[in-house]
Structure formats: C-alpha cells, structure tokens
Amino acid sequence: MIKHTTFIQIIAGYFILTLGVSLIILSNLGAGAWDTVYVGLFNKFGLTIGTWSFLVTASLIFFNALLTWEKPQFKSFIGTILASVGIDFWMELVFSGITVTSFSLQILAFITGVSFLGFGVSIYIRPQLFSGPIDGLMIATAKRLNISIKTARIINELLALAIGLILGGPVGLGTLFVAVFLGYAIQYGTVLLNHLKNKGLKII
C-alpha cells in the first residue's frame, strides 16, 4: 500500500517534471526524444499532447510485458496517468494560447524547463515505487537483445527520435541538450533533496 506522504511526493514530482516538459516544448528549441513523438502525434492527429503521452506509454507497458514474457507492470500506470494529466494541465490550461517568440525567452524557457524536469524526476524516483514505461522498455530491450542497459537506452532513444522526426515533432538542438544534460539536472536535484532532508524536511 502506498503511504500518504509517498503518494504526495510522487504527485509533486510529476507536477514539477511536466511543468519542465511543457516549458521545453514551448521554447520550440527541441524537446526530449519521446516528447517529440507525443507532440508529433498531436500535430498530425489532434487530441492533446497529454493524451498521446498516455496512449504511447500505456501501450509500452503491455509491449514491455510481451518482450520479457512477464506480467504487465500495472503500477507504472500511476506515472502514465500523472504525466498525461500534468502535461495537459500545463499545456491546455496554464500555457494555452501562449507562444514564445523572443529567442532570449526561448532560451530561458528551455533552461528552466530542463531544470524543472530534472528536479521533478529526482523527486518522483526517490520512493522507488515503480519504473516508468520508457525505463521498462529499456530493461525489456536489454533482456530481449542481450545487450547492456546503456546500449538499449541509446537504441530506444534513437528510435523515438526517428519517429518524432517523421511525425514532424520538435526535434532540434535542444533535443541533444536534453539527452546530454538531463542526467546532470536529476543528479543535482537529488543532491538538493538530500540536503533538504538533512536540514529536517520530511521527505523520503
């Protein structure tokens, strides 16, 4: 059973990370590989970015189970739902109708977005309650192809990037930046959370 404080922390993490995702998309400088897929599908077929996020990642949960011949990780639906709702909250309500045209504001939105994305991820992964479908795909690919986790991640990211490019998603220089620096943002977010915990903040 999920503790009350743990669930609040997970919700807070997704609330912050989806803000980061939304700012990166708004910057129009290039989004993360999988986000380019969601935006590309949105541009092609309508609905909302959050809806496509849900449909793609929910499908991955079952696809991962097929690759590994294991039961679907239904706990992953928690993150799938929270990410979908969070993205649509920011994109459809808070930032609805907003277009960032100034290059300096684009840079600001992008850097702030990457920072929030990394910090949000560092919050939600602390309880280690479940792995996201994309992480699950990485593990499933590594098992099925008998390759390293690192290689599996690169293959999956390149595949998502190719699909996003075909769909006309926001592939750009920022896409490479996210791939390179997101890990650092998550690391610094974790350091900050550890510091706050040592100061007495009641977090996991």
Side-chain angles (χ1 to χ4, degrees):
M1 185 174 179
I2 305 175
K3 294 181 179 179
H4 181 66
T5 52
T6 302
F7 194 61
I8 291 175
Q9 183 169 332
I10 291 172
I11 291 175
Y14 272 95
F15 186 75
I16 294 171
L17 80 85
T18 52
L19 170 58
V21 168
S22 300
L23 287 171
I24 292 171
I25 293 172
L26 282 174
S27 75
N28 202 31
L29 295 176
W34 286 96
D35 295 326
T36 66
V37 175
Y38 313 146
V39 177
L41 287 167
F42 164 70
N43 290 336
K44 286 282 188 181
F45 304 107
L47 299 180
T48 66
I49 297 173
T51 299
W52 285 115
S53 168
F54 174 80
L55 292 174
V56 171
T57 53
S59 298
L60 284 179
I61 293 173
F62 294 102
F63 181 70
N64 296 342
L66 287 175
L67 282 180
T68 57
W69 295 102
E70 297 174 353
K71 292 181 179 179
Q73 299 295 316
F74 289 110
K75 282 186 177 180
S76 295
F77 274 106
I78 298 173
T80 294
I81 293 170
L82 289 175
S84 172
V85 172
I87 290 172
D88 278 351
F89 169 78
W90 292 112
M91 294 300 293
E92 298 295 319
L93 294 177
V94 178
F95 298 132
S96 178
I98 295 177
T99 303
V100 181
T101 55
S102 168
F103 184 65
S104 58
L105 289 178
Q106 285 180 295
I107 294 291
L108 178 62
F110 183 85
I111 294 176
T112 304
V114 172
S115 300
F116 276 130
L117 175 56
F119 187 53
V121 171
S122 68
I123 293 173
Y124 102 80
I125 64 174
R126 284 180 76 87
Q128 298 182 341
L129 183 65
F130 55 84
S131 61
I134 294 173
D135 292 329
L137 177 63
M138 173 186 66
I139 295 169
T141 301
K143 287 182 179 179
R144 174 58 63 183
L145 300 180
N146 194 28
I147 56 178
S148 69
I149 291 290
K150 180 181 178 180
T151 302
R153 185 71 179 212
I154 292 172
I155 291 173
N156 293 341
E157 292 293 304
L158 288 176
L159 178 60
L161 185 60
I163 295 172
L165 188 61
I166 292 170
L167 291 170
V171 178
L173 185 60
T175 305
L176 176 62
F177 190 94
V178 172
V180 173
F181 290 101
L182 179 58
Y184 291 98
I186 296 172
Q187 179 181 342
Y188 290 132
T190 301
V191 170
L192 175 59
L193 288 172
N194 289 337
H195 176 73
L196 293 174
K197 185 176 181 179
N198 292 335
K199 290 292 185 179
L201 184 65
K202 292 183 179 180
I203 58 175
I204 295 172

